Amino acid sequence: MLVIGNGKVITRTTSKPFIENGAVAVDGSKIIEEGDFSTIKAKYSGAEFIDAKGGIIMPSFINAHEHIYSALARGLSIKGYNPKGFLDILEGQWWNIDRHLNNRLTKLSALATYIECIKNGVTTIFDHHASYGEISGSLFSIAEAAKETGIRSCLCYEISDRDGEEKMKAAVKENVDFINYASSDKSGMLAGMMGMHASFTISDKTMELCRESKPEGVGYHIHVAEGISDLHECLAKHSKRIADRLYDWDILGRKTLLAHCIYVNPHEIELIHYTDTMTVHNPESNMGNACGCPPTMELVHRGIVTGLGTDGYTHDMIESWKVANILHKHHLCDPNAAWSEVPEMLFAHNAEIAGRCFEAKLGVIEAGASADVVVMEYIPPTPLDAGNINGHILFGMNGRSVITTIANGKVLMKDRVLQGIDEEAVTAHIREGAEELWKSING
């Protein structure tokens, strides 16, 4: 038994959204009760107690689009790399990096990412992986790191023709093998999807193989119209727009996740809505790669399940919220844009995306939900109540406000100290791996 109390509880439920001085009781992996602090503390007097010290108790975060394979790139300078556009960024940096990754380096990348997730209160991620230096077993290496750190993970491998047919087929097999493995895993902490890079690196022959090979019950995770060249290639080679091509190959659907969707038109938006396909917005990555601003507000207004991700740019979901908030205000010249839509994406839609892939109820604090909870160090300087919660988080907190992170009932970090992980030793191995990768890339 575990009680987290003596703080302001944000439940993300409609029936009881805010508890002024509250607590959450946990038994095993589930929340069993939330309510008044003194009542719950007395009722479960024998439970382990985590003192929020007047801070915020709320559901942990979900990241709907991650890139673990990018974790060792921080600070890396690649010889001769001088990108003129998005395709140069892909070829010169990210595809270059993934071609030098082996499974040991992939696991170190995963450990680096998961440690950052814990510190920022993220306990569920959807990762889109590539390591064309070693494909077979790469998702299993990430899963090992997920189990060691306690982060719930939906994994996939990005299928692409960019490195030839043999590696494409190996990528398909890695997805299939991992999906079957994850479906037999009883922990509820692993899931798999059919990963695909993007339309412009996938031939019709590969599309057909993906459709034939995908196990039942799972969807696809694919980049869509992240760069204008993706759209141009699809129009030139296939005489159709990207969403139409994906629809024709039976890729769209309620368990499929489309990342980015920058260059989609009203017809494609209607098709995505019609098929109940999910999308995910990655504001910092889109801005950093100079790709453009997607019609995300329109997607949300249309009723499309639209999540918030980071694309590996950061692991701080509040930071992504802050950036999305001002990006769409600036882009639309509308001071009201993104005020309600982005928190809806982060808290409601990310939970909906997770709910389509995992059996656990995520994103809320209520009886029966998974015990995925964070404690935020935040004493409000102004009144805080059920009506202004989001304003306090947006303007008063960031990922490093998290002091305690709990996933599936397991305490992963307490008072900013990782639990069950020798952070110093693991980080030393990660740095060694990064140095090895950098030397391999630069010769």
Side-chain angles (χ1 to χ4, degrees), residues 39-242:
T39 302
I40 287 183
K41 186 71 160 50
K43 184 175 180 179
Y44 304 101
S45 58
E48 177 187 351
F49 176 59
I50 291 179
D51 189 353
K53 302 174 184 176
I56 305 296
I57 304 166
M58 58 187 279
S60 59
F61 295 99
I62 298 163
N63 187 341
H65 187 68
E66 260 280 17
H67 278 304
I68 278 172
Y69 81 89
S70 68
L72 302 185
R74 188 182 299 176
L76 168 64
S77 178
I78 299 175
K79 292 178 182 177
Y81 176 62
N82 184 27
K84 306 300 183 186
F86 183 53
L87 288 179
D88 288 347
I89 292 171
L90 290 178
E91 183 64 52
Q93 181 168 331
W94 299 119
W95 295 351
N96 192 355
I97 288 170
D98 85 55
R99 286 169 180 142
H100 287 83
L101 287 173
N102 55 38
N103 286 349
R104 183 173 57 81
L105 293 176
T106 289
K107 183 176 179 180
L108 290 173
S109 298
L111 289 170
T113 300
Y114 287 136
I115 286 172
E116 288 293 311
C117 287
I118 293 169
K119 289 182 176 182
N120 286 283
V122 177
T123 59
T124 299
I125 71 165
F126 286 73
D127 189 69
H128 199 279
H129 178 65
S131 56
Y132 277 89
E134 187 170 10
I135 300 168
S136 179
S138 59
L139 296 184
F140 294 84
S141 296
I142 295 173
E144 287 177 10
K147 290 179 179 180
E148 290 174 15
T149 54
I151 301 296
R152 185 180 288 101
S153 302
C154 181
L155 307 179
C156 71
Y157 191 99
E158 67 170 47
I159 297 163
S160 173
D161 291 317
R162 65 179 182 259
D163 278 7
E165 184 175 2
E166 183 179 343
K167 290 193 174 184
M168 176 275 291
K169 289 182 177 179
V172 172
K173 185 177 186 301
E174 182 67 7
N175 275 302
V176 173
D177 289 348
F178 185 78
I179 290 167
N180 290 333
Y181 169 76
S183 66
S184 65
D185 182 84
K186 303 304 180 185
S187 69
M189 298 295 284
L190 290 176
M193 299 178 82
M194 198 72 169
M196 306 177 82
H197 173 246
S199 175
F200 77 97
T201 69
I202 302 173
S203 66
D204 283 349
K205 182 179 178 181
T206 298
M207 287 282 188
E208 185 172 12
L209 179 62
C210 292
R211 183 172 66 180
E212 292 174 351
S213 303
K214 184 184 71 66
E216 292 292 326
V218 300
Y220 299 84
H221 190 168
I222 180 172
H223 302 101
V224 171
E226 182 178 4
I228 191 67
S229 55
D230 192 10
L231 172 59
H232 288 165
E233 192 274 351
C234 197
L235 291 169
K237 286 190 176 180
H238 307 286
S239 301
K240 61 184 73 173
R241 296 184 69 93
I242 295 169

